[in-house]
Amino acid sequence: MRNYKILWADDEIDLLKPHILFLNDKGYEVEPVNSGADALESLKEDDFDIVFLDENMPGISGLETLEQIKPLYPSLPVVMITKSEEEYIMEEAIGSQIADYLIKPINPNQILLSVKKILDNKRLVSQKTNMSYQQDFRNISMAFSENLDHNEWIEIYKKMVHWELKIDETEEKDMAEILNMQKEEANSEFSEFLIDNYEEWLNQPDIDRPLLSYQLMSREVFPLLKSDEKVFFFLIDNLRYDQWQLIEPMVSEYFHIENEVPFYSILPTTTAYARNAIFSGLMPDDMATRHKDIWVGEDKEEGKNLQEEEFLRRNMKRCGLEGKSMTYNKVIQKEQGKQVLNNINNLYKNDLNVVVYNFVDVLSHARTDLKMIRELAPDESAYRSLTQSWFMHSTLLEMLKILSEKDFKVVITTDHGTIRVNKPVKIVGDKNTNPNLRYKVGKNLNVDNPESVYIVRSPEDLRLPKPNVSSAYFFTKKDDFFAYPNNYNHYVNLYKDTFQHGGISMEEVIVPLIHLKPKK
């Protein structure tokens, strides 16, 4: 612990000598002064880590001194000490952004606690976090060797996200490398778990299985409509569970989390498959055969997510909800968000309002394409921070604030997550093979290391359409990505350390679904 310097201003400072000696013994250097004016002079002459201010001093009061300190030293923590318990003094002090508020008589341990809470908070939190993760590390690793079910994998992933966010808050991030290694091991085990069980989940509906993309509307949204509830359904494309955890505190200012239901995205974990499955209520093979007029396959150039509204309307009709009014709104640019926000009064009359936000997906692709974005988000922590900053200033948060005053059911979810890729896998395919880095579909596909890839020679087994008779699907696992032998080093350098989706990882597959209840 370094030697912190404390400035203590009190007109009865001599009576506080025992407290000062106590702090000296604990390793803190204290400079005592008798007035607010003296405190301001001391701050001009020396640097301090914290200031204690008595509120009721002759001449310049504690509050008046505080008002002069804050503009000059905005990051300097100030603790207000007072005999008064009057509420307006507390409010004035808190409004001036004090670090703590103590009421006399004070004892030495009370002062020490305040100092540690303010000055040693990060160090103590870091120590506690590192120690707690070390204790939990073995429990998590041992769980991998057990025969985990789909719910237990959700809990493992949530626990690892918890530690990732906690370690991210520590000063030195000492445990980050160990956690990353454990996450890699977890993703390796999770990939094998999914491969072992996924086909059965799709083809044996009576077995125990997780909530899957194509079941989301019929299980989580349509029952609300059938109960005559009005629903706002927000889908944030590409939103991972860790990103949700960062924006959840902002949402919780206005809503209670009524229910949190993480679900499993179908494969491939992309918009064309997972999001269309959500709105259509169908697996991709059924979309391709039952809705040939609106399904866009891999062999076509046009956009794969242009028919979501029509898929949803047909899904509602099939489920007996054709009498319910519905709007579908897609927000890619800020102006589109403003249009939806400005029109929100007209949306109240509808039974279901769907709003799709594409920002996070756009951000992940921009990080691949734009050097500036890659520099702004060089790692997972910065990538999460960009998502948090976007949400804080988004029209989505503005809409949620407005809806928190209304009697609507609000659901927030996503279609799939994303993972930062690291290890290239060489693949060979013909010119019609799709460009996605995490999965490939085509004829005559071959990889240099088949063990590292989930190879599906019979797409119908995974309820996937076959563009051609000999089409196969190849999925990457963990944090791998596909690269062609031609210009191999160039493409590896271009795409390594970028965020991609379409394959198999906890980050892509296990995604959040949240039911919100307004607090007011």
Side-chain angles (χ1 to χ4, degrees):
M1 184 184 76
R2 72 180 181 85
N3 190 25
Y4 289 112
K5 292 187 69 173
I6 301 170
L7 176 63
W8 197 334
D10 193 305
D11 61 314
E12 298 178 331
I13 196 70
D14 292 340
L15 300 179
L16 298 171
K17 191 169 183 179
H19 296 66
I20 294 171
L21 292 173
F22 176 79
L23 290 173
N24 291 157
D25 289 341
K26 293 295 181 180
Y28 299 97
E29 182 181 339
V30 183
E31 180 172 324
V33 294
N34 289 292
S35 67
D38 290 343
L40 293 169
E41 285 300 315
S42 294
L43 287 170
K44 291 178 184 178
E45 296 170 3
D46 204 348
D47 294 325
F48 294 91
D49 297 291
I50 190 170
V51 177
F52 287 114
L53 278 181
D54 180 35
E55 187 277 322
N56 187 25
M57 292 185 290
I60 305 176
S61 72
L63 285 175
E64 291 169 337
T65 307
L66 177 63
E67 288 176 3
Q68 294 189 48
I69 289 174
K70 276 299 173 182
L72 297 172
Y73 314 97
S75 61
L76 179 63
V78 178
V79 176
M80 186 66 68
I81 302 174
T82 178
K83 291 179 181 177
S84 174
E85 295 187 26
E86 290 191 49
E87 189 174 354
Y88 85 92
I89 294 178
M90 296 181 190
E91 291 181 351
E92 282 282 329
I94 293 169
S96 298
Q97 297 180 308
I98 58 165
D100 206 351
Y101 190 94
L102 303 177
I103 297 176
K104 292 182 177 181
I106 52 175
N107 62 59
N109 282 322
Q110 197 177 0
I111 290 288
L112 181 63
L113 177 61
S114 184
V115 171
K116 283 188 173 292
K117 185 169 63 177
I118 296 165
L119 298 182
D120 285 343
N121 180 273
K122 287 187 177 180
R123 179 180 64 84
L124 295 172
V125 168
S126 295
Q127 287 179 354
K128 177 63 177 175
T129 298
N130 291 342
M131 188 181 302
S132 298
Y133 172 61
Q134 288 171 11
Q135 292 170 348
D136 208 17
F137 174 87
R138 189 167 181 271
N139 296 331
I140 296 172
S141 292
M142 286 179 63
F144 299 159
S145 61
E146 299 174 3
N147 189 23
L148 300 176
D149 64 23
H150 58 87
N151 287 316
E152 289 167 329
W153 269 112
I154 288 175
E155 293 308 311
I156 286 286
Y157 178 49
K158 288 169 70 173
K159 184 177 286 191
M160 300 200 79
V161 166
H162 165 79
W163 286 121
E164 188 171 22
L165 297 181
K166 294 292 287 184
I167 290 170
D168 200 28
E169 294 173 357
T170 61
E171 286 187 295
E172 303 298 331
K173 299 179 175 56
D174 298 322
M175 293 290 111
E177 187 174 347
I178 295 172
L179 176 64
N180 287 336
M181 291 171 60
Q182 190 171 48
K183 261 180 69 176
E184 186 175 346
E185 182 188 357
N187 260 327
S188 179
E189 296 293 336
F190 175 78
S191 297
E192 299 310 313
F193 161 77
L194 193 76
I195 292 167
D196 289 344
N197 291 277
Y198 188 66
E199 185 179 335
E200 288 187 359
W201 292 346
L202 299 180
N203 297 293
Q204 298 182 31
D206 294 333
I207 66 170
D208 180 39
R209 60 179 182 171
L211 179 69
L212 297 166
S213 305
Y214 74 100
Q215 301 169 307
L216 193 150
M217 299 304 287
S218 63
R219 296 271 189 91
E220 299 294 327
V221 178
F222 289 172
L224 300 175
L225 298 177
K226 289 176 180 179
S227 299
D228 293 326
E229 299 276 7
K230 289 180 178 288
V231 180
F232 271 79
F233 181 87
F234 294 99
L235 189 148
I236 307 172
D237 190 14
N238 234 0
L239 184 75
R240 300 192 314 201
Y241 186 76
D242 60 333
Q243 292 168 309
W244 159 248
Q245 287 294 298
L246 277 195
I247 67 176
E248 187 268 341
M250 288 181 271
V251 175
S252 293
E253 287 187 39
Y254 308 97
F255 291 88
H256 295 291
I257 308 299
E258 192 171 29
N259 195 14
E260 185 179 300
V261 192
F263 70 99
Y264 279 52
S265 171
I266 65 162
L267 301 178
T269 48
T270 63
T271 299
Y273 294 89
R275 194 199 296 173
N276 281 331
I278 288 174
F279 289 124
S280 70
L282 300 170
M283 285 297 291
D285 60 342
D286 282 337
M287 284 187 269
T289 55
R290 295 166 62 174
H291 299 291
K292 293 181 180 180
D293 58 325
I294 58 174
W295 169 256
V296 180
E298 295 281 3
D299 54 341
K300 297 178 182 177
E301 293 293 328
E302 59 197 276
K304 306 294 192 290
N305 62 341
L306 302 178
Q307 301 296 335
E308 295 160 8
E309 180 176 1
E310 183 59 25
F311 271 129
L312 178 57
R313 291 191 185 280
R314 294 183 186 186
N315 189 9
M316 291 177 68
K317 183 177 181 180
R318 191 173 67 250
C319 292
L321 292 168
E322 65 268 35
K324 298 291 185 179
S325 56
M326 183 272 286
T327 66
Y328 177 89
N329 309 270
K330 185 177 289 187
V331 178
I332 300 175
Q333 299 173 344
K334 189 173 183 179
E335 285 305 314
Q336 294 168 317
K338 287 182 178 178
Q339 289 174 11
V340 179
L341 182 62
N342 293 336
N343 190 45
I344 196 166
N345 288 334
N346 293 323
L347 300 181
Y348 295 153
K349 62 186 177 183
N350 300 304
D351 298 297
L352 173 63
N353 292 291
V354 173
V355 186
V356 174
Y357 271 85
N358 263 35
F359 173 82
V360 181
D361 186 56
V362 170
L363 174 63
S364 67
H365 291 301
R367 193 183 182 282
T368 301
D369 300 332
L370 299 178
K371 183 179 179 182
M372 181 185 70
I373 297 294
R374 292 183 78 159
E375 290 178 356
L376 284 173
D379 54 30
E380 299 277 0
S381 176
Y383 184 64
R384 284 191 293 267
S385 181
L386 280 182
T387 307
Q388 185 182 37
S389 178
W390 160 74
F391 184 78
M392 187 183 303
H393 304 285
S394 69
T395 53
L396 173 53
L397 182 56
E398 290 300 311
M399 269 188 270
L400 290 173
K401 290 178 184 178
I402 293 169
L403 292 174
S404 69
E405 304 278 353
K406 307 295 180 181
D407 188 21
F408 290 98
K409 292 288 185 180
V410 176
V411 179
I412 294 179
T413 191
T414 187
D415 43 8
H416 54 78
T418 187
I419 188 168
R420 187 167 60 152
V421 296
N422 186 49
K423 300 182 184 68
V425 176
K426 281 186 181 179
I427 189 166
V428 176
D430 63 31
K431 64 179 182 180
N432 295 318
T433 303
N434 66 307
N436 189 284
L437 299 183
R438 290 282 288 165
Y439 84 97
K440 297 292 183 184
V441 53
K443 299 180 292 184
N444 304 318
L445 296 175
N446 282 293
V447 292
D448 60 344
N449 182 13
E451 293 298 317
S452 67
V453 177
Y454 180 29
I455 298 174
V456 181
R457 299 289 182 188
S458 301
E460 60 272 17
D461 292 341
L462 297 196
R463 308 286 305 278
L464 293 170
K466 293 178 69 169
N468 295 285
V469 175
S470 57
S471 290
Y473 286 76
F474 282 32
F475 297 94
T476 52
K477 301 182 282 188
K478 303 180 295 183
D479 59 352
D480 297 351
F481 66 100
F482 288 123
Y484 292 113
N486 295 340
N487 295 322
Y488 177 77
N489 290 329
H490 168 74
Y491 284 105
V492 168
N493 291 330
L494 181 63
Y495 292 114
K496 184 179 179 181
D497 202 35
T498 64
F499 289 89
Q500 305 293 335
H501 56 86
I504 304 172
S505 67
M506 296 183 297
E507 291 91 331
E508 292 163 288
V509 173
I510 302 175
V511 286
L513 171 69
I514 300 96
H515 289 264
L516 302 175
K517 180 181 180 181
K519 284 187 173 180
K520 295 187 179 180

PDB file of all heavy atoms in Angstrom, residues 36-61:
ATOM      1  N   GLY A  36     -11.691  26.189   6.374  1.00  0.00           N
ATOM      2  CA  GLY A  36     -11.848  25.947   4.947  1.00  0.00           C
ATOM      3  C   GLY A  36     -10.845  26.728   4.133  1.00  0.00           C
ATOM      4  O   GLY A  36     -10.317  26.228   3.125  1.00  0.00           O
ATOM      5  N   ALA A  37     -10.576  27.964   4.549  1.00  0.00           N
ATOM      6  CA  ALA A  37      -9.602  28.806   3.833  1.00  0.00           C
ATOM      7  C   ALA A  37      -8.220  28.161   3.859  1.00  0.00           C
ATOM      8  O   ALA A  37      -7.510  28.130   2.839  1.00  0.00           O
ATOM      9  CB  ALA A  37      -9.557  30.203   4.452  1.00  0.00           C
ATOM     10  N   ASP A  38      -7.829  27.637   5.040  1.00  0.00           N
ATOM     11  CA  ASP A  38      -6.534  26.970   5.141  1.00  0.00           C
ATOM     12  C   ASP A  38      -6.487  25.714   4.264  1.00  0.00           C
ATOM     13  O   ASP A  38      -5.444  25.385   3.679  1.00  0.00           O
ATOM     14  CB  ASP A  38      -6.248  26.583   6.590  1.00  0.00           C
ATOM     15  CG  ASP A  38      -5.967  27.807   7.461  1.00  0.00           C
ATOM     16  OD1 ASP A  38      -5.679  28.884   6.887  1.00  0.00           O
ATOM     17  OD2 ASP A  38      -6.039  27.666   8.698  1.00  0.00           O
ATOM     18  N   ALA A  39      -7.613  25.026   4.178  1.00  0.00           N
ATOM     19  CA  ALA A  39      -7.675  23.825   3.339  1.00  0.00           C
ATOM     20  C   ALA A  39      -7.434  24.178   1.877  1.00  0.00           C
ATOM     21  O   ALA A  39      -6.688  23.497   1.167  1.00  0.00           O
ATOM     22  CB  ALA A  39      -9.030  23.135   3.510  1.00  0.00           C
ATOM     23  N   LEU A  40      -8.044  25.268   1.421  1.00  0.00           N
ATOM     24  CA  LEU A  40      -7.868  25.699   0.031  1.00  0.00           C
ATOM     25  C   LEU A  40      -6.418  26.092  -0.242  1.00  0.00           C
ATOM     26  O   LEU A  40      -5.875  25.805  -1.316  1.00  0.00           O
ATOM     27  CB  LEU A  40      -8.808  26.857  -0.294  1.00  0.00           C
ATOM     28  CG  LEU A  40     -10.310  26.504  -0.301  1.00  0.00           C
ATOM     29  CD1 LEU A  40     -11.159  27.763  -0.369  1.00  0.00           C
ATOM     30  CD2 LEU A  40     -10.632  25.585  -1.474  1.00  0.00           C
ATOM     31  N   GLU A  41      -5.758  26.752   0.728  1.00  0.00           N
ATOM     32  CA  GLU A  41      -4.350  27.121   0.576  1.00  0.00           C
ATOM     33  C   GLU A  41      -3.464  25.876   0.506  1.00  0.00           C
ATOM     34  O   GLU A  41      -2.542  25.795  -0.297  1.00  0.00           O
ATOM     35  CB  GLU A  41      -3.903  28.012   1.741  1.00  0.00           C
ATOM     36  CG  GLU A  41      -4.414  29.443   1.669  1.00  0.00           C
ATOM     37  CD  GLU A  41      -3.951  30.157   0.415  1.00  0.00           C
ATOM     38  OE1 GLU A  41      -2.745  30.042   0.066  1.00  0.00           O
ATOM     39  OE2 GLU A  41      -4.788  30.826  -0.236  1.00  0.00           O
ATOM     40  N   SER A  42      -3.759  24.894   1.367  1.00  0.00           N
ATOM     41  CA  SER A  42      -2.961  23.659   1.377  1.00  0.00           C
ATOM     42  C   SER A  42      -3.080  22.920   0.048  1.00  0.00           C
ATOM     43  O   SER A  42      -2.108  22.332  -0.450  1.00  0.00           O
ATOM     44  CB  SER A  42      -3.401  22.749   2.525  1.00  0.00           C
ATOM     45  OG  SER A  42      -3.123  23.332   3.775  1.00  0.00           O
ATOM     46  N   LEU A  43      -4.276  22.948  -0.529  1.00  0.00           N
ATOM     47  CA  LEU A  43      -4.478  22.257  -1.809  1.00  0.00           C
ATOM     48  C   LEU A  43      -3.681  22.916  -2.934  1.00  0.00           C
ATOM     49  O   LEU A  43      -3.279  22.247  -3.893  1.00  0.00           O
ATOM     50  CB  LEU A  43      -5.971  22.243  -2.170  1.00  0.00           C
ATOM     51  CG  LEU A  43      -6.841  21.283  -1.349  1.00  0.00           C
ATOM     52  CD1 LEU A  43      -8.319  21.514  -1.618  1.00  0.00           C
ATOM     53  CD2 LEU A  43      -6.475  19.823  -1.664  1.00  0.00           C
ATOM     54  N   LYS A  44      -3.459  24.235  -2.817  1.00  0.00           N
ATOM     55  CA  LYS A  44      -2.647  24.933  -3.822  1.00  0.00           C
ATOM     56  C   LYS A  44      -1.180  24.528  -3.725  1.00  0.00           C
ATOM     57  O   LYS A  44      -0.458  24.510  -4.719  1.00  0.00           O
ATOM     58  CB  LYS A  44      -2.766  26.443  -3.644  1.00  0.00           C
ATOM     59  CG  LYS A  44      -4.129  27.022  -3.998  1.00  0.00           C
ATOM     60  CD  LYS A  44      -4.149  28.525  -3.729  1.00  0.00           C
ATOM     61  CE  LYS A  44      -5.539  29.120  -3.971  1.00  0.00           C
ATOM     62  NZ  LYS A  44      -5.554  30.574  -3.648  1.00  0.00           N
ATOM     63  N   GLU A  45      -0.757  24.178  -2.517  1.00  0.00           N
ATOM     64  CA  GLU A  45       0.669  23.950  -2.270  1.00  0.00           C
ATOM     65  C   GLU A  45       1.078  22.483  -2.351  1.00  0.00           C
ATOM     66  O   GLU A  45       2.262  22.176  -2.539  1.00  0.00           O
ATOM     67  CB  GLU A  45       1.036  24.490  -0.878  1.00  0.00           C
ATOM     68  CG  GLU A  45       0.852  25.999  -0.752  1.00  0.00           C
ATOM     69  CD  GLU A  45       0.995  26.488   0.685  1.00  0.00           C
ATOM     70  OE1 GLU A  45       1.294  25.636   1.560  1.00  0.00           O
ATOM     71  OE2 GLU A  45       0.804  27.690   0.927  1.00  0.00           O
ATOM     72  N   ASP A  46       0.129  21.572  -2.205  1.00  0.00           N
ATOM     73  CA  ASP A  46       0.516  20.162  -2.148  1.00  0.00           C
ATOM     74  C   ASP A  46      -0.584  19.298  -2.773  1.00  0.00           C
ATOM     75  O   ASP A  46      -1.711  19.757  -2.982  1.00  0.00           O
ATOM     76  CB  ASP A  46       0.742  19.751  -0.687  1.00  0.00           C
ATOM     77  CG  ASP A  46       1.682  18.556  -0.566  1.00  0.00           C
ATOM     78  OD1 ASP A  46       1.967  17.925  -1.602  1.00  0.00           O
ATOM     79  OD2 ASP A  46       2.117  18.261   0.560  1.00  0.00           O
ATOM     80  N   ASP A  47      -0.220  18.057  -3.068  1.00  0.00           N
ATOM     81  CA  ASP A  47      -1.183  17.096  -3.611  1.00  0.00           C
ATOM     82  C   ASP A  47      -1.692  16.194  -2.498  1.00  0.00           C
ATOM     83  O   ASP A  47      -0.905  15.717  -1.670  1.00  0.00           O
ATOM     84  CB  ASP A  47      -0.524  16.236  -4.693  1.00  0.00           C
ATOM     85  CG  ASP A  47      -0.125  17.053  -5.910  1.00  0.00           C
ATOM     86  OD1 ASP A  47      -0.855  17.990  -6.245  1.00  0.00           O
ATOM     87  OD2 ASP A  47       0.926  16.746  -6.512  1.00  0.00           O
ATOM     88  N   PHE A  48      -2.993  15.955  -2.500  1.00  0.00           N
ATOM     89  CA  PHE A  48      -3.614  15.096  -1.495  1.00  0.00           C
ATOM     90  C   PHE A  48      -4.465  14.038  -2.187  1.00  0.00           C
ATOM     91  O   PHE A  48      -4.952  14.225  -3.313  1.00  0.00           O
ATOM     92  CB  PHE A  48      -4.481  15.919  -0.529  1.00  0.00           C
ATOM     93  CG  PHE A  48      -3.681  16.872   0.322  1.00  0.00           C
ATOM     94  CD1 PHE A  48      -3.447  18.180  -0.104  1.00  0.00           C
ATOM     95  CD2 PHE A  48      -3.144  16.458   1.530  1.00  0.00           C
ATOM     96  CE1 PHE A  48      -2.709  19.053   0.669  1.00  0.00           C
ATOM     97  CE2 PHE A  48      -2.396  17.326   2.310  1.00  0.00           C
ATOM     98  CZ  PHE A  48      -2.171  18.629   1.880  1.00  0.00           C
ATOM     99  N   ASP A  49      -4.652  12.931  -1.498  1.00  0.00           N
ATOM    100  CA  ASP A  49      -5.452  11.830  -2.038  1.00  0.00           C
ATOM    101  C   ASP A  49      -6.910  11.907  -1.588  1.00  0.00           C
ATOM    102  O   ASP A  49      -7.785  11.348  -2.256  1.00  0.00           O
ATOM    103  CB  ASP A  49      -4.857  10.490  -1.589  1.00  0.00           C
ATOM    104  CG  ASP A  49      -3.454  10.287  -2.137  1.00  0.00           C
ATOM    105  OD1 ASP A  49      -3.328  10.107  -3.362  1.00  0.00           O
ATOM    106  OD2 ASP A  49      -2.495  10.327  -1.350  1.00  0.00           O
ATOM    107  N   ILE A  50      -7.151  12.585  -0.464  1.00  0.00           N
ATOM    108  CA  ILE A  50      -8.516  12.683   0.068  1.00  0.00           C
ATOM    109  C   ILE A  50      -8.582  13.882   1.014  1.00  0.00           C
ATOM    110  O   ILE A  50      -7.573  14.265   1.623  1.00  0.00           O
ATOM    111  CB  ILE A  50      -8.903  11.374   0.802  1.00  0.00           C
ATOM    112  CG1 ILE A  50     -10.392  11.340   1.154  1.00  0.00           C
ATOM    113  CG2 ILE A  50      -8.047  11.163   2.041  1.00  0.00           C
ATOM    114  CD1 ILE A  50     -10.866   9.980   1.654  1.00  0.00           C
ATOM    115  N   VAL A  51      -9.786  14.484   1.110  1.00  0.00           N
ATOM    116  CA  VAL A  51     -10.000  15.632   2.003  1.00  0.00           C
ATOM    117  C   VAL A  51     -11.159  15.328   2.938  1.00  0.00           C
ATOM    118  O   VAL A  51     -12.229  14.879   2.503  1.00  0.00           O
ATOM    119  CB  VAL A  51     -10.319  16.914   1.201  1.00  0.00           C
ATOM    120  CG1 VAL A  51     -10.607  18.081   2.153  1.00  0.00           C
ATOM    121  CG2 VAL A  51      -9.168  17.268   0.263  1.00  0.00           C
ATOM    122  N   PHE A  52     -10.946  15.572   4.250  1.00  0.00           N
ATOM    123  CA  PHE A  52     -12.025  15.532   5.232  1.00  0.00           C
ATOM    124  C   PHE A  52     -12.419  16.972   5.559  1.00  0.00           C
ATOM    125  O   PHE A  52     -11.559  17.790   5.893  1.00  0.00           O
ATOM    126  CB  PHE A  52     -11.586  14.819   6.516  1.00  0.00           C
ATOM    127  CG  PHE A  52     -11.452  13.333   6.377  1.00  0.00           C
ATOM    128  CD1 PHE A  52     -10.213  12.716   6.491  1.00  0.00           C
ATOM    129  CD2 PHE A  52     -12.566  12.549   6.132  1.00  0.00           C
ATOM    130  CE1 PHE A  52     -10.090  11.353   6.360  1.00  0.00           C
ATOM    131  CE2 PHE A  52     -12.446  11.177   5.999  1.00  0.00           C
ATOM    132  CZ  PHE A  52     -11.206  10.575   6.106  1.00  0.00           C
ATOM    133  N   LEU A  53     -13.703  17.264   5.441  1.00  0.00           N
ATOM    134  CA  LEU A  53     -14.191  18.624   5.683  1.00  0.00           C
ATOM    135  C   LEU A  53     -15.254  18.620   6.769  1.00  0.00           C
ATOM    136  O   LEU A  53     -16.270  17.912   6.657  1.00  0.00           O
ATOM    137  CB  LEU A  53     -14.826  19.202   4.407  1.00  0.00           C
ATOM    138  CG  LEU A  53     -13.932  19.815   3.328  1.00  0.00           C
ATOM    139  CD1 LEU A  53     -14.820  20.332   2.206  1.00  0.00           C
ATOM    140  CD2 LEU A  53     -13.081  20.932   3.898  1.00  0.00           C
ATOM    141  N   ASP A  54     -15.021  19.405   7.815  1.00  0.00           N
ATOM    142  CA  ASP A  54     -16.078  19.624   8.806  1.00  0.00           C
ATOM    143  C   ASP A  54     -17.094  20.580   8.189  1.00  0.00           C
ATOM    144  O   ASP A  54     -16.734  21.616   7.619  1.00  0.00           O
ATOM    145  CB  ASP A  54     -15.482  20.231  10.079  1.00  0.00           C
ATOM    146  CG  ASP A  54     -16.541  20.489  11.140  1.00  0.00           C
ATOM    147  OD1 ASP A  54     -17.486  19.677  11.224  1.00  0.00           O
ATOM    148  OD2 ASP A  54     -16.438  21.499  11.852  1.00  0.00           O
ATOM    149  N   GLU A  55     -18.359  20.259   8.287  1.00  0.00           N
ATOM    150  CA  GLU A  55     -19.392  21.089   7.643  1.00  0.00           C
ATOM    151  C   GLU A  55     -19.558  22.424   8.347  1.00  0.00           C
ATOM    152  O   GLU A  55     -19.705  23.475   7.699  1.00  0.00           O
ATOM    153  CB  GLU A  55     -20.717  20.315   7.614  1.00  0.00           C
ATOM    154  CG  GLU A  55     -21.820  21.004   6.812  1.00  0.00           C
ATOM    155  CD  GLU A  55     -22.559  22.073   7.614  1.00  0.00           C
ATOM    156  OE1 GLU A  55     -22.787  21.837   8.813  1.00  0.00           O
ATOM    157  OE2 GLU A  55     -22.880  23.136   7.041  1.00  0.00           O
ATOM    158  N   ASN A  56     -19.500  22.435   9.683  1.00  0.00           N
ATOM    159  CA  ASN A  56     -19.826  23.643  10.455  1.00  0.00           C
ATOM    160  C   ASN A  56     -18.547  24.318  10.959  1.00  0.00           C
ATOM    161  O   ASN A  56     -18.181  24.218  12.126  1.00  0.00           O
ATOM    162  CB  ASN A  56     -20.752  23.272  11.624  1.00  0.00           C
ATOM    163  CG  ASN A  56     -21.265  24.500  12.344  1.00  0.00           C
ATOM    164  OD1 ASN A  56     -21.337  25.592  11.772  1.00  0.00           O
ATOM    165  ND2 ASN A  56     -21.621  24.332  13.608  1.00  0.00           N
ATOM    166  N   MET A  57     -17.859  25.040  10.062  1.00  0.00           N
ATOM    167  CA  MET A  57     -16.650  25.781  10.430  1.00  0.00           C
ATOM    168  C   MET A  57     -16.928  27.272  10.306  1.00  0.00           C
ATOM    169  O   MET A  57     -17.683  27.689   9.413  1.00  0.00           O
ATOM    170  CB  MET A  57     -15.475  25.405   9.512  1.00  0.00           C
ATOM    171  CG  MET A  57     -14.970  23.988   9.683  1.00  0.00           C
ATOM    172  SD  MET A  57     -13.488  23.642   8.673  1.00  0.00           S
ATOM    173  CE  MET A  57     -14.176  23.649   7.016  1.00  0.00           C
ATOM    174  N   PRO A  58     -16.336  28.103  11.187  1.00  0.00           N
ATOM    175  CA  PRO A  58     -16.496  29.561  11.051  1.00  0.00           C
ATOM    176  C   PRO A  58     -15.806  30.063   9.781  1.00  0.00           C
ATOM    177  O   PRO A  58     -14.892  29.419   9.268  1.00  0.00           O
ATOM    178  CB  PRO A  58     -15.809  30.120  12.310  1.00  0.00           C
ATOM    179  CG  PRO A  58     -14.854  29.051  12.736  1.00  0.00           C
ATOM    180  CD  PRO A  58     -15.484  27.755  12.330  1.00  0.00           C
ATOM    181  N   GLY A  59     -16.259  31.190   9.279  1.00  0.00           N
ATOM    182  CA  GLY A  59     -15.711  31.716   8.031  1.00  0.00           C
ATOM    183  C   GLY A  59     -16.326  30.967   6.865  1.00  0.00           C
ATOM    184  O   GLY A  59     -17.542  31.017   6.649  1.00  0.00           O
ATOM    185  N   ILE A  60     -15.505  30.254   6.120  1.00  0.00           N
ATOM    186  CA  ILE A  60     -16.024  29.456   4.995  1.00  0.00           C
ATOM    187  C   ILE A  60     -16.503  28.105   5.533  1.00  0.00           C
ATOM    188  O   ILE A  60     -15.716  27.341   6.103  1.00  0.00           O
ATOM    189  CB  ILE A  60     -14.922  29.228   3.938  1.00  0.00           C
ATOM    190  CG1 ILE A  60     -14.317  30.551   3.470  1.00  0.00           C
ATOM    191  CG2 ILE A  60     -15.478  28.486   2.722  1.00  0.00           C
ATOM    192  CD1 ILE A  60     -13.164  30.389   2.509  1.00  0.00           C
ATOM    193  N   SER A  61     -17.764  27.816   5.360  1.00  0.00           N
ATOM    194  CA  SER A  61     -18.309  26.552   5.862  1.00  0.00           C
ATOM    195  C   SER A  61     -17.788  25.386   5.028  1.00  0.00           C
ATOM    196  O   SER A  61     -17.191  25.567   3.958  1.00  0.00           O
ATOM    197  CB  SER A  61     -19.838  26.570   5.811  1.00  0.00           C
ATOM    198  OG  SER A  61     -20.289  26.480   4.457  1.00  0.00           O
TER     199      SER A  61
END
